[in-house]
């Protein structure tokens, strides 16, 4: 099966958006010097094109 992955950069930091089929969820991954931070994506609504993810420290960003 083909893997869905989107690579992007914010403030000179690299991120990857990827669907984890075994869990049925999307995650944003951020590589670090110590490994990878895995950030779950939360859907706002079942049929919405908007989604949000919660970075570490409880901050929330909305991506449109």
């Amino acid at each position: 099966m083909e893997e869905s992955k989107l690579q992007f950069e914010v403030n000179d930091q690299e991120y990857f958006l990827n669907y984890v089929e075994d869990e049925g969820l999307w995650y944003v991954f951020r590589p670090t010097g110590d490994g990878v931070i895995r950030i779950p994506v939360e859907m706002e609504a079942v049929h919405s094109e908007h989604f949000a993810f919660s970075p570490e420290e409880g901050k929330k960003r909305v991506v449109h």
Side-chain angles (χ1 to χ4, degrees):
M1 179 170 279
E2 188 174 317
E3 182 176 307
S4 299
K5 182 168 67 172
L6 171 69
Q7 178 180 349
F8 59 99
E9 190 174 296
V10 177
N11 296 332
D12 295 324
Q13 293 185 0
E14 195 170 11
Y15 294 85
F16 299 90
L17 175 67
N18 197 13
Y19 183 72
V20 178
E21 190 170 336
D22 292 344
E23 297 179 29
L25 298 171
W26 287 91
Y27 286 90
V28 172
F29 296 90
R30 183 169 66 95
T32 69
D34 298 326
V36 175
I37 295 174
R38 180 173 143 157
I39 306 164
V41 176
E42 298 175 21
M43 300 303 289
E44 289 181 357
V46 175
H47 297 291
S48 175
E49 291 182 7
H50 301 85
F51 59 90
F53 63 92
S54 299
E56 53 283 359
E57 301 176 11
K59 296 177 185 174
K60 189 169 248 184
R61 297 180 188 177
V62 176
V63 180
H64 296 276

